[in-house]
Amino acid sequence: MSKFDFDLFTIGGGSGGVRASRFATKLGARVAVAEGAQFGGTCVNVGCIPKKLMSIASHYKDDYADAVGFGWGLARPTFDWATLQTRKDHEIARLNAIYAGGLHSSGVKIVEGWAQVLDAHSVLVNGKTYTAEYILVATGSKPVHAQVAGAKLAITSDDFFHLDSQPGRVLVYGGGYIAVELASILHGLGTQTAIAYRGPSLLKGFDADLGAHLAQQMAARGLALKLGTKVLSIESRADARLVCFDDGTTLDVDQVIFATGRAPNTQGLGLAEVGVALAGNGAVVVDQQLRSSVSSIFAVGDVVNRLALTPVATSEGMLVAEYLFGKSGRTINYALVPTAVFSHPCVASVGLSEDQARAQGHQLSIFRSIFTPLRHTLSGRAEKALMKLVVDAQTDRVLGAHLVGPEAGEIIQGFAVALTCGATKAQFDATLGVHPTMAEEFVTMREPATA
Ligand SMILES: Cc1cc2nc3c(=O)[nH]c(=O)nc-3n(C[C@H](O)[C@H](O)[C@H](O)COP(=O)(O)OP(=O)(O)OC[C@H]3O[C@@H](n4cnc5c(N)ncnc54)[C@H](O)[C@@H]3O)c2cc1C
């Protein structure tokens, strides 16, 4: 009989924590999970799911407009923000219940409340102490406000998903994936939208062609882009906001949304006090098995700040459960994590960017194609797709696949399998295309753009 109440105590019922807890019970462990807010975490409540639902909603504007080129005559469509919010919230409540129900039916003990680590084997929730052989920190991350005068007047992505009414004019401050997604949603739903970003190009960390191409396409859709520009201050003006930039210009908007980064949720958790090493940004420092500097404490997901994506958090959660209770030595290949940006148009990527591959010393063949997707030959929309392969010129191995265009997120998943299998360009060339699709371009590009 164990001297602990549980084999595993998980703090945080989001993507990583729920997956780890359910997996651990399947492997025979006695598990409890503490959640201070809603089960499902960021992804379900204020991340992937509401974002994608709102992105789909905003795409209808394009679909209505594009249909005209195919012969459809349409009455002017209208959009109702309250209907979308209500239906989205209803779906999220359904998912919250599924997450909690799944834990319950797997035999995980649910502890509702905010947890704090007391020592290497004890956790405090609502005044009650629970002991466990292992503690898993899966507390996620939270949005950070930019350091500008009047920052309190801005909202973050968390607040965006709960806005009661649709703002007429918005400035999104940031150039990462959350910034371009929120800006695309708002613009598509009819809000007059601008993006300001202090860096020179969008989507830092992605292949540079993607950010440059996306910026062109977003600008062509009528979004105002102010790159290389910092917000200096935000002032309150009756119901509106006056934003002052470092280039001397100003902008009147109804809302400013900060998409200026996220910080790991470790404040007040008691981790440093029990000897868990934290990085400068507060992230839990872990080894390949996600073990912290205290051997009984593990951490997964956004709180370790490796790649802040749901499939990474869930994969890490499974890895910890398998390692502790299934005795597996599996590790995660962070180099080949596919990802999509649900901007309009969509962006997707797997593997190395051209710059990363060059920095790693590869000699490269680059294959690039920019073309009009078939649907836009009749829709009349002036939108171009971009597809790019980064290939090692010596081994012929495809190191990276990147694209901007309709359904990019759906397309990249299969190519992620190919890259995970170590596919070469010759194998891409030997693969027959599906015609007529956008994806076939990945297997029909023959001429390298650069040697
Ligand atoms: C706007 C937005 C869009 C996104 N879109 C995508 C996307 O399209 N695809 C994708 O893969 N990823 C996306 N992400 C990222 C994804 O949501 C996160 O990577 C993922 O949710 C991380 O999972 P996690 O388990 O680490 O943390 P979370 O899912 O955030 O879960 C952490 C949980 O811990 C709880 N908690 C925190 N502290 C305590 C405590 N002391 N006691 C008890 N409970 C606590 C929190 O309430 C929360 O429920 C998006 C994120 C945002 C913000």
Side-chain angles (χ1 to χ4, degrees), residues 414-428:
F415 286 97
V417 176
L419 265 65
T420 302
C421 294
T424 61
K425 181 66 170 64
Q427 289 168 324
F428 270 54

Side-chain angles (χ1 to χ4, degrees), residues 137-157:
V137 180
T139 50
S141 60
K142 56 175 183 290
V144 289
H145 275 247
Q147 304 278 320
V148 303
K152 281 192 181 144
L153 294 167
I155 63 170
T156 67
S157 58

